[in-house]
Amino acid sequence: MARRLNWAILSLGCAALLPFAQAQEVPSTQDITFTHPVLKTAQVSAPFGMRKNPFTQKPSWHGGVDLGAPWNDPIFAPAKGEVIFADSKAGWGIRVDLKLSDGWVLRFAHLKEISVAEGDLVAPGSIVGIVGATGRSTGPHLHLEAVYDGKQYDPRAIQTLDLYTDERTR
């Protein structure tokens, strides 16, 4: 009974904070030139913010956006940057973190494989990995996070960042 009450209180607290999480102002990306979409074809399968966790069925925070995409599709760097992480990490599966200018980091998770190495400098349009379903995943997709100063932002809120090009799936 106490466990259910704790979850109810947590859910209400998270629901009360949801408007603030989704209405956050995105720090400037004016020094970043996004010239390439992240994926060719995709569909948002899980939004940024509070959601029902697909494993626990409980409300939980989702710090990125999930983009359902075909197995083995390439994942592109949307801007130039430095690879600061390229390995497997518990829960994330295979992951690449790309540091852009002004401190922005784009995190690509659940990859099937990595096409870059830590320390690599990548150009826009470079393939950073391949769509997969590693880690805690329910199917092929890209979990994409936008992190600035340790805080997660909705990648869809970055106006000049194109997540995918297939207009039929937006």
Side-chain angles (χ1 to χ4, degrees):
M1 181 68 172
R3 179 175 275 173
R4 285 187 185 179
L5 181 59
N6 286 342
W7 275 110
I9 292 169
L10 176 64
S11 298
L12 287 173
C14 291
L17 293 174
L18 184 58
F20 299 106
Q22 292 183 339
Q24 47 181 291
E25 186 174 326
V26 176
S28 174
T29 57
Q30 67 183 1
D31 291 338
I32 302 171
T33 304
F34 294 106
T35 60
H36 202 282
V38 175
L39 293 165
K40 289 181 183 174
T41 302
Q43 185 171 346
V44 175
S45 57
F48 176 87
M50 289 301 298
R51 68 165 184 173
K52 181 166 62 169
N53 184 298
F55 295 99
T56 66
Q57 303 304 308
K58 306 279 188 208
S60 65
W61 179 254
H62 188 237
V65 62
D66 286 350
L67 301 168
W71 286 102
N72 301 317
D73 266 14
I75 302 165
F76 303 99
K80 69 179 179 178
E82 179 184 357
V83 177
I84 58 171
F85 183 87
D87 204 346
S88 190
K89 188 108 172 162
W92 301 98
I94 298 173
R95 186 179 104 191
V96 171
D97 289 0
L98 181 64
K99 185 173 185 176
L100 310 177
S101 60
D102 285 354
W104 276 98
V105 173
L106 293 181
R107 177 167 293 147
F108 308 89
H110 304 302
L111 283 59
K112 177 180 178 182
E113 60 186 58
I114 297 171
S115 302
V116 293
E118 203 168 303
D120 283 356
L121 299 177
V122 298
S126 299
I127 296 174
V128 297
I130 303 297
V131 172
T134 58
R136 289 189 72 180
S137 173
T138 58
H141 75 284
L142 170 64
H143 173 84
L144 178 65
E145 289 190 14
V147 180
Y148 184 82
D149 200 22
K151 187 174 179 180
Q152 299 163 321
Y153 292 86
D154 187 343
R156 295 174 301 171
I158 301 173
Q159 294 180 357
T160 57
L161 174 61
D162 287 326
L163 302 183
Y164 46 90
T165 58
D166 186 349
E167 292 296 325
R168 295 170 296 145
T169 60
R170 284 186 184 246

